[in-house]
Amino acid sequence: MQFSVLLKRGLKERSHESFSGLRIFMVMSVSLLSGLLWWHSRVAHIQDQVGLLFFFSIFWGFLPLFNAIFTFPQERPMLIKERSSGIYRLSSYYIARTVGDLPMELILPTIFVTITYWMGGLKSSLTTFIMTLMIVLYSVLVSQGVGLALGAILMDAKKAATLSSVLMLVFLLAGGYYIQHIPGFIAWLKYISFSHYCYKLLVGVQYTWDEVYECGPGLHCSVMDYEGIKNLRLGNMMWDVLALTLMLLLYRFLAYVALRNL
């Protein structure tokens, strides 16, 4: 009963924020602009397409994270007051918050990917499109978990925003697009970057060994031999999915533990 009441209240309170005109305008504008910039890109121009896939992983890594940072700092006074009066258990509140966020956080990225994917000229396969969409949505949930954890641990929106900016910069650089040959002593950073795993999965479902790109005048090479893809060391994608799953559970667990210490 606690979960049901909290879920209904949360959906009513956050619907206007998640689907505000400004936020919808921003997402639609970026999706259309991206689609026009990458308009009907081709595998022959592999660098352009790989850049679009990396943009997917970064844009939907930043946005959910920064939106989630402010959640618990803003709700802290209400949460402390209502919990101290014994109205509901923290677990009921947290599960209701998590479930209620799903429709709020996943609808806009679904629209974004649907528009940009087909305008951008990525593989015209319904299966590949659905897998790309599922990867982006899964990354959104992980990114949101990072934001919730940072907000719950620091309980200060400004400090959390500053720390998240530094964290996302690290994830951006270690994602595997800008720098492929990372020095060994710092290469471990990519293993804690959820955008790195998202990028790998997006590339892995988009290309096959039999596809080629123009690697020189009149020359065609295998897509998998392209330097930017080869250095990703694509293999069993289930390991990448497992890494994202562990991050999803870890960050949300950390957020819950931090809330218990309020």
Side-chain angles (χ1 to χ4, degrees):
M1 184 182 69
Q2 292 175 9
F3 167 79
S4 177
V5 172
L6 290 169
L7 178 62
K8 291 178 182 177
R9 185 182 74 173
L11 290 173
K12 290 180 181 179
E13 288 178 347
R14 296 193 300 277
S15 59
H16 69 280
E17 177 184 341
S18 299
F19 301 113
S20 65
L22 180 61
R23 191 173 181 189
I24 293 174
F25 173 76
M26 179 191 67
V27 172
M28 293 298 293
S29 298
V30 174
S31 64
L32 290 173
L33 178 60
S34 303
L36 292 173
L37 287 172
W38 275 280
W39 179 258
H40 289 182
S41 61
R42 296 177 296 150
V43 177
H45 302 153
I46 186 67
Q47 185 174 351
D48 291 346
Q49 285 201 342
V50 169
L52 177 57
L53 296 175
F54 187 70
F55 178 68
F56 278 178
S57 68
I58 290 301
F59 184 75
W60 289 109
F62 279 119
L63 193 61
L65 191 153
F66 280 106
N67 288 334
I69 280 174
F70 302 97
T71 299
F72 295 131
Q74 289 177 345
E75 295 187 359
R76 182 184 182 186
M78 177 200 71
L79 184 58
I80 292 177
K81 179 180 178 181
E82 293 181 346
R83 283 199 64 215
S84 62
S85 61
I87 296 178
Y88 52 75
R89 296 170 59 90
L90 178 62
S91 56
S92 300
Y93 163 81
Y94 190 71
I95 296 174
R97 176 78 207 199
T98 300
V99 174
D101 280 344
L102 293 179
M104 304 292 183
E105 295 298 328
L106 299 183
I107 290 178
L108 288 181
T110 299
I111 296 173
F112 178 93
V113 173
T114 302
I115 294 173
T116 310
Y117 185 95
W118 298 109
M119 288 182 66
L122 295 174
K123 183 178 290 185
S124 56
S125 163
L126 181 60
T127 301
T128 305
F129 165 71
I130 292 175
M131 292 179 69
T132 299
L133 177 61
M134 292 299 103
I135 292 167
V136 172
L137 295 182
Y138 204 50
S139 178
V140 166
L141 296 178
V142 178
S143 173
Q144 184 195 38
V146 177
L148 292 175
L150 290 175
I153 292 171
L154 297 177
M155 276 301 171
D156 186 304
K158 289 184 178 180
K159 291 181 180 178
T162 301
L163 180 58
S164 66
S165 298
V166 176
L167 194 62
M168 283 307 299
L169 180 60
V170 172
F171 289 169
L172 174 68
L173 294 177
Y177 178 74
Y178 294 112
I179 306 174
Q180 280 112 40
H181 303 285
I182 304 177
F185 66 90
I186 202 172
W188 57 270
L189 285 175
K190 66 181 180 182
Y191 297 113
I192 63 172
S193 169
F194 62 85
S195 58
H196 169 71
Y197 295 107
C198 176
Y199 176 49
K200 280 184 66 178
L201 287 169
L202 289 174
V203 172
V205 301
Q206 188 68 211
Y207 303 110
T208 56
W209 285 97
D210 59 348
E211 292 181 280
V212 297
Y213 73 100
E214 190 175 334
C215 54
L219 297 176
H220 293 85
C221 304
S222 171
V223 165
M224 293 302 175
D225 290 330
Y226 173 66
E227 194 74 8
I229 294 179
K230 187 177 181 179
N231 290 323
L232 287 176
R233 297 180 181 177
L234 299 176
N236 188 346
M237 290 191 293
M238 288 307 300
W239 288 110
D240 300 316
V241 174
L242 178 60
L244 286 176
T245 302
L246 291 175
M247 290 181 182
L248 175 68
L249 298 176
L250 175 62
Y251 287 125
R252 291 182 181 271
F253 175 74
L254 289 176
Y256 179 75
V257 171
L259 288 177
R260 288 194 66 88
N261 294 326
L262 283 179

